[in-house]
Amino acid sequence: MVCLQNDFIKVWIKPKGAELKSLVNKKTGVEYLWDANPRYWGKSSPVLFPIVGALKDNMYTFDGQTYDLPRHGFARDMMFTVESKSETQAIFLLKSDVETKKVYPFEFEFRLIYAVEKNKLTTTYEVKNVGAGEMYFSVGGHPAFAVPLQPEHLYTDYYLEFNFDSDPKKWLLNEAGLLNGEQQAVFLDHGKLPLTKELFKDDALVFKGLGSDQIAIRNQKNETALLFNFKDFPFFGIWAAKDAPFVCLEPWCGVADDVDHDQDLKNKEGINKLGVGESFERAWSVEVS
């Protein structure tokens, strides 16, 4: 694995999926990332590309052709090349090839750029269209953070704190992971959402146009916390597996299909389009204390 560090934090990234595997506060020794225990969920921070969420019937059409893609796409299971590496930054690269074009007919360069500065880790997604026509894609993150962060704490000692104090509405998913068109209010107490195992009994909390662009994971016992910043991501998910000791904070540029979607990729909600030679960039960051 690739290691980045400074005087404050140390991170490990696995080239398969360019997946973040560890985020440690060097001053306190606290590990903030979920350890990918397969008993609950065997991932720690998969990247979602070239789709986010589920497709209707796990397929889509483009220019009259039909393609199959599983939920969240293929990048999380592919080997990235380490394009460059320093003590505090690494760039991982995935290029389209014969295999990707069987399920996704676009030529692309997809980079994940990890950088540490003081107590902050920044993850940047860079997508470039290197083909001869327009390119359509979604991209997003799925980092899972350990809850509780310390063994003497309980899951219910923790809460999420939104920086925009308003009650957002979540969009509901059906059993296939598709948006069913229904909404429900999520009630915050002065911007705080208590973490409970029951919160995710009906799958992820999916938000569109969330007013907040920062969510903190805090607890009632001490000052150990995590600040998650995600400006310019139009969709956001919060999820945990059944009874699992973690919570995922998921910034998305894309979202699952609606149950009534016509399955044409060009008409997909939240889809991003790049012209020939154009690039797209978004970043999220984590600050630990």
Side-chain angles (χ1 to χ4, degrees), residues 87-256:
E87 189 169 6
T88 59
Q89 178 180 281
I91 301 177
F92 295 81
L93 171 63
L94 179 68
K95 293 184 177 182
S96 53
D97 59 22
V98 173
E99 292 304 310
T100 65
K101 292 182 78 171
K102 291 178 181 177
V103 295
Y104 182 65
F106 304 100
E107 295 184 30
F108 64 85
E109 292 179 354
F110 177 38
R111 289 174 173 85
L112 261 72
I113 306 166
Y114 291 97
V116 296
E117 181 183 6
K118 294 185 178 180
N119 65 330
K120 181 170 72 173
L121 167 69
T122 299
T123 300
T124 302
Y125 304 127
E126 182 184 281
V127 182
K128 184 175 183 180
N129 178 4
V130 296
E134 291 180 335
M135 173 183 171
Y136 294 81
F137 71 97
S138 297
V139 66
H142 202 311
F145 300 103
V147 177
L149 288 168
Q150 291 158 304
E152 64 271 23
H153 294 173
L154 301 174
Y155 195 86
T156 50
D157 290 331
Y158 287 74
Y159 59 91
L160 303 180
E161 185 175 62
F162 294 68
N163 69 338
F164 183 72
D165 186 8
S166 181
D167 294 333
K169 291 184 178 180
K170 65 176 181 178
W171 291 79
L172 303 185
L173 300 167
N174 69 7
E175 292 182 356
L178 305 179
L179 296 168
N180 66 11
E182 299 180 14
Q183 300 178 68
Q184 283 184 0
V186 176
F187 297 105
L188 307 180
D189 181 8
H190 297 93
K192 298 177 181 178
L193 178 64
L195 282 177
T196 66
K197 301 296 179 62
E198 292 74 27
L199 189 61
F200 309 107
K201 64 181 178 64
D202 296 322
D203 209 335
L205 312 184
V206 176
F207 301 103
K208 302 180 184 181
L210 191 62
S212 296
D213 60 11
Q214 181 188 87
I215 295 176
I217 300 177
R218 301 188 187 276
N219 73 86
Q220 303 170 20
K221 301 297 185 180
N222 61 28
E223 297 301 313
T224 302
L226 177 152
L227 300 181
F228 190 85
N229 300 284
F230 54 96
K231 186 179 180 181
D232 296 328
F233 286 85
F235 306 95
F236 200 84
I238 304 175
W239 175 79
K242 179 178 173 59
D243 297 326
F246 67 79
V247 63
C248 292
L249 302 180
E250 307 178 38
W252 300 334
C253 291
V255 72

